[in-house]
Each structure stands twice: as structure tokens, then as C-alpha cells.
Amino acid sequence: MNAPELHELFTLPQGKNKVEYEEDSRIEFAGTFTVHLEDHTLGNIIRMQLLQDDRVRFAGYKAPHPLEQRIQVKIQTDGQISPHEALMNSLESLKITFKGLQDQFEKQAKSI
Amino acid sequence: MSEVYRGRAPNIEINKITREKIKFTLSGVDSSVANSLRRVMIAEVPTMAIDVVHIHTNTSSLHDEFIAHRLGLIPLISENQDNYDFPRDCKCTGHCEHCAVQFRLKVKNQEGGVLDVTSRDLRHLSQQGNDVRPADSDGPILILKLRKNQEIDITCNARKGIGKEHAKWSPVATAVFKYTPDIYLNQQRLESQFTAEERKEIVNSCPVGVYKLNEESNIEVVKLNKCMFCEECMRKGEMIITRSASALLNVHDNVVRVSQLKDRFIFKVESSGALKPESIVSKAFTILTKKLDDIKQLIPPLINTR
Ligand code: SF4
Ligand SMILES: [Zn+2]
């Protein structure tokens, strides 16, 4: 009866952008990114990758509600870089990791 | 948490590929990476599956919804899914050759007895889309049975989708990973404090046959990757120590110790038949990379907005 509509899995909610940022009003160099239409798949790898960065003081993510298709990633840095840069860096490293793994995998799959 | 794999290069190694299964080891990453790979393989690698069913005639003993559901669950070979659009992205209204492959299932039992209607009775409505067909090379997939004079006539559309929307689009039957087992045997104590009989007890305590007694009747690990961390062997070892005279000595130092290497993951992926197992894994990587890239593109414009 009150199941969420299927299209909510694929279409952005009215008036929302895929990625939104809200600066923290009390803490310096901190803010929350909201990523729509993503779930733990990305949330968890992004958080773990952010924690690898020494300039990141805090990184955490949550999926606020299981029926709402969004995650929130909270980042606080030490001021050497902005939360935006920290997130960009982590996305880039993850991309390199996955690309590298894919290349290795495909090379082996071909030779078997 | 992260220093587990810091400084180690991510690595992947294929252990075994068959027509429907793949086993590989992923190492030098933490469990978040392994888990997203698993999640993407299950829920986000697209395949084709029957999605819209028109029932013209159905005098069989199964009701319409039941048959529609069964048709949806038939795996369709989807190696060429890149040639199709998701119906929601297609410009057409309804369906067209870019977003759907049409089938017809028209069978009547005229001979009497019981007639099996299988995936082999599904016919393409047009030449186009012949590459998308039931994955039934291991034998026809039974859909329903007809008695004399019963008849069905159905047209249906196969469309592209992902497992997140409905499990029929998931390309995998299983996609699981576990940590790599690490077994430590204190051979010296096993030899000096245990009898051959007791060593045999330890070997037999393992429900999956990880151990074997060798010619000198010493314990040997033969099928390490079979281990499922049930710790039966550890408990057996402790029990034997406890009941023997040396109970008070060394109780904290197990003779058998099973632990998990938390940066090495053993994956097992079984295909539903829609995609080759190696395509599932490599498509999952492509999808993950694209997701990350899409988000990355959207961050710079956010930098100066307040
Ligand atoms: S933990 Fe269980 S499965 Fe693993 S070796 Fe011991 S008894 Fe066998
Ligand atoms: Zn179309």
C-alpha cells in the first residue's frame, strides 16, 4: 500500500541536485554532502577512503532512512584542504583502485 | 582500521573460472571495497528480463500473474545489453527495438496427455534481438504444463533493468566473499603432548575436511580455503588439553588456532546464466568507476555556493 514508488530509485526528487553541500555552522572546515540516489555501496567506500587521509579529522556517512534514496557524508578537515578537496581526492583514489583492479582482472580473464 | 592494508597495493587474482562460476581473491583493500563490489554485482549490473506480459489466451491451470512471474524469472542471455537502453531512458513511448525484445509464447495441447511448455517455446517476434534468448543450454526451463485442449497465447517484452528494481534482473545466483583463513598449528606440542589417536580426533572434528593425517600421523592442512571459521578444531584441541594431565600449563596457548586475514577476500560468484561470470565482475568495476566519476564531476560547482 505505502511502498515507495519504483521510479524513486532512479529519478531525483523534485528540485534536488544529485550532490548537495551544507557547511557546518559551528565547526570550521566541516560540512555535509548529501548524495541522492546512492546507498551504502558508495557511502562506505568513500568514508573508508577519507579516513586514509591524514588531513581529514572526521569522516562519516549515514543512510538516513532505508526508504529514502540518499546518503550523507560528513567531513571535517584540519584546514589544509577543504572538505570538497578531501572528497574529490578520495573519489579519485577509489577510481584509480577500481580501474587498476579491473585492468588486472581483465588481463587475467583473457589469458585463462 | 585502515592501517590493515595501508601501503599494500590492491590486487586481484582469478583462482578458477567455469562457464557459470568464478572464484577470485581480492587483496590489499579493506572490506568496504570488497563489499561494494559484491553489492554492485548483485544489484546494479544490468541484464535483460521479461517485464511486460500480455496474455491473450490462458486456459491452463495456472493463473495469469503466476505465469507472468515465471516468465520474468527466466534468465535471458544479456551479453549484448549495452546495445539496449533502459526503458526509462528511451525516447519512445511504450517500446521499440532500442529498449525491448519481443517474444511470443503460443502453445496448445492437441494430442492429449501432459504437454510441457518450456523456455524453448518462446519465439522472437522479429529478427531483431535474436542475441537475447533464454539461457537454457543446460536444458529447457519448464514454465507450465498443459492438458488436452488447454492453450496459452502470450506476447511479452524483455527489457533491461537492474537487480535493485527486481531480483529477476540480478545477474548472479550467489555473490559472496569471506576472509582468507589462517591456520596455525603448534606442531611441536601436537607431537609431544598429543597421541596419534588425539591428533586424529582433531582432524575428524573439522566438518569440511580441512585437515589430513600424513604418513607420520601428523596433522596437515590440505584444503585451507574450505575453512568456514566454525572453530570446531580449536575447541577439540582445547578439550583434549583440558582432559589431559598438562591441563594447568599453557591453557591460553592453543595448539590449533584459526584466524582471519582481514585484507584478503575470497570471492565466489555464480552466474544466473544471463552473463558470463567474468563479465559480471568486470561490468561491476565499470559501474563503480562510473558512479564515482559522476559524483566527482558535480563537486567543483559546489565549492563557492553558500
Ligand atoms: S575452523 Fe572449522 S572449518 Fe575451519 S579448520 Fe577448524 S574445524 Fe575446519
Ligand atoms: Zn524504446
Side-chain angles (χ1 to χ4, degrees):
Chain A
M1 281 314 161
N2 48 9
E5 296 289 329
L6 259 184
H7 68 79
E8 286 175 17
L9 281 174
F10 309 106
T11 45
L12 283 170
Q14 278 263 298
K16 301 279 188 197
N17 293 318
K18 170 92 181 169
V19 187
E20 288 165 349
Y21 179 66
E22 197 184 339
E23 201 177 55
D24 197 297
S25 56
R26 299 190 214 190
I27 307 166
E28 241 189 335
F29 315 123
T32 304
F33 291 90
T34 303
V35 188
H36 291 277
L37 308 182
E38 294 300 342
D39 56 14
H40 299 279
T41 304
L42 284 197
N44 198 21
I45 39 172
I46 292 174
R47 175 193 58 159
M48 292 309 279
Q49 188 63 42
L50 282 165
L51 291 172
Q52 303 275 303
D53 190 336
D54 292 329
R55 296 163 297 186
V56 172
R57 282 226 180 107
F58 177 87
Y61 90 100
K62 66 178 171 185
H65 192 284
L67 296 181
E68 285 171 18
Q69 304 300 319
R70 69 189 156 105
I71 52 166
Q72 290 176 332
V73 183
K74 200 165 223 167
I75 304 173
Q76 185 195 357
T77 65
D78 63 1
Q80 289 184 55
I81 52 170
S82 66
H84 298 82
E85 285 169 298
L87 182 56
M88 293 268 279
N89 292 344
S90 74
L91 291 171
E92 187 57 30
S93 334
L94 284 169
K95 254 175 67 186
I96 293 170
T97 306
F98 284 123
K99 202 85 206 59
L101 287 172
Q102 181 170 18
D103 290 346
Q104 279 184 43
F105 181 84
E106 283 171 3
K107 210 180 287 163
Q108 285 179 49
K110 224 172 271 161
S111 64
I112 285 179
Chain B
M1 221 184 288
S2 48
E3 57 274 12
V4 179
Y5 71 99
R6 190 168 266 194
R8 281 242 235 135
N11 188 55
I12 195 165
E13 194 187 315
I14 300 177
N15 305 334
K16 196 175 169 198
I17 301 188
T18 63
R19 204 160 50 82
E20 68 260 3
K21 249 189 247 173
I22 185 169
K23 285 183 180 171
F24 61 91
T25 309
L26 177 65
S27 58
V29 294
D30 78 1
S31 57
S32 67
V33 172
N35 197 39
S36 18
L37 179 60
R38 183 190 66 87
R39 286 174 63 100
V40 169
M41 289 191 289
I42 293 173
E44 298 189 49
V45 173
T47 63
M48 306 289 287
I50 290 174
D51 190 32
V52 179
V53 178
H54 292 283
I55 299 190
H56 310 297
T57 314
N58 174 20
T59 53
S60 76
S61 56
L62 297 184
H63 54 248
D64 297 357
E65 293 86 341
F66 205 117
I67 298 171
H69 181 240
R70 285 188 171 194
L71 287 168
L73 294 177
I74 295 171
L76 302 178
I77 293 172
S78 313
E79 288 295 336
N80 290 337
Q81 35 115 329
D82 288 343
N83 302 345
Y84 296 92
D85 288 332
F86 287 107
R88 58 177 175 279
D89 296 337
C90 193
K91 285 176 211 78
C92 72
T93 51
H95 56 84
C96 67
E97 72 268 24
H98 301 298
C99 65
V101 176
Q102 292 195 285
F103 292 95
R104 178 141 198 201
L105 181 67
K106 184 169 163 40
V107 189
K108 184 172 184 182
N109 183 350
Q110 313 206 323
E111 258 116 68
V114 177
L115 180 67
D116 288 354
V117 180
T118 70
S119 55
R120 302 255 161 101
D121 295 310
L122 278 169
R123 300 261 172 263
H124 286 89
L125 265 191
S126 65
Q127 271 309 102
Q128 169 272 332
N130 270 345
D131 45 352
V132 176
R133 56 179 191 280
D136 56 3
S137 53
D138 290 336
I141 300 166
L142 184 64
I143 300 168
L144 53 92
K145 297 184 179 188
L146 297 176
R147 280 186 61 179
K148 187 161 188 198
N149 290 329
Q150 290 184 341
E151 180 184 6
I152 55 161
D153 184 2
I154 292 171
T155 46
C156 45
N157 292 352
R159 310 207 290 180
K160 185 165 154 177
I162 59 173
K164 223 182 191 179
E165 185 176 345
H166 190 293
K168 69 185 172 188
W169 278 298
S170 180
V172 295
T174 42
V176 291
F177 71 81
K178 68 173 181 186
Y179 294 122
T180 304
D182 182 20
I183 297 180
Y184 161 79
L185 295 171
N186 190 332
Q187 289 293 2
Q188 202 199 333
R189 281 184 64 206
L190 279 169
E191 273 171 55
S192 58
Q193 298 175 5
F194 285 62
T195 64
E197 199 49 46
E198 285 167 336
R199 285 196 289 273
K200 193 162 172 212
E201 259 184 75
I202 293 181
V203 168
N204 291 339
S205 71
C206 176
V208 287
V210 167
Y211 305 108
K212 201 187 78 179
L213 272 191
N214 63 13
E215 292 86 49
E216 290 96 53
S217 85
N218 285 327
I219 303 178
E220 213 179 286
V221 177
V222 281
K223 288 181 193 153
L224 180 64
N225 284 353
K226 281 251 142 93
C227 176
M228 54 179 182
F229 310 110
C230 66
E231 302 192 351
E232 279 302 321
C233 53
M234 282 169 71
R235 266 193 289 276
K236 181 61 87 180
E238 268 167 50
M239 223 174 73
I240 295 171
I241 294 175
T242 324
R243 78 183 176 213
S244 72
S246 55
L248 294 177
L249 307 165
N250 298 327
V251 265
H252 299 297
D253 180 22
N254 291 332
V255 283
V256 182
R257 209 159 47 221
V258 179
S259 55
Q260 301 174 320
L261 297 177
K262 302 227 164 166
D263 69 339
R264 265 179 86 79
F265 308 94
I266 302 172
F267 273 80
K268 187 164 84 185
V269 179
E270 223 177 292
S271 163
S272 68
L275 293 170
K276 282 189 253 150
E278 60 271 31
S279 332
I280 298 173
V281 183
S282 80
K283 290 214 160 91
F285 280 126
T286 312
I287 290 165
L288 270 166
T289 317
K290 177 162 186 310
K291 272 170 170 288
L292 293 164
D293 205 39
D294 286 351
I295 296 178
K296 198 174 160 231
Q297 308 291 336
L298 294 170
I299 295 170
L302 293 174
I303 288 175
N304 285 317
T305 52
R306 278 289 137 88

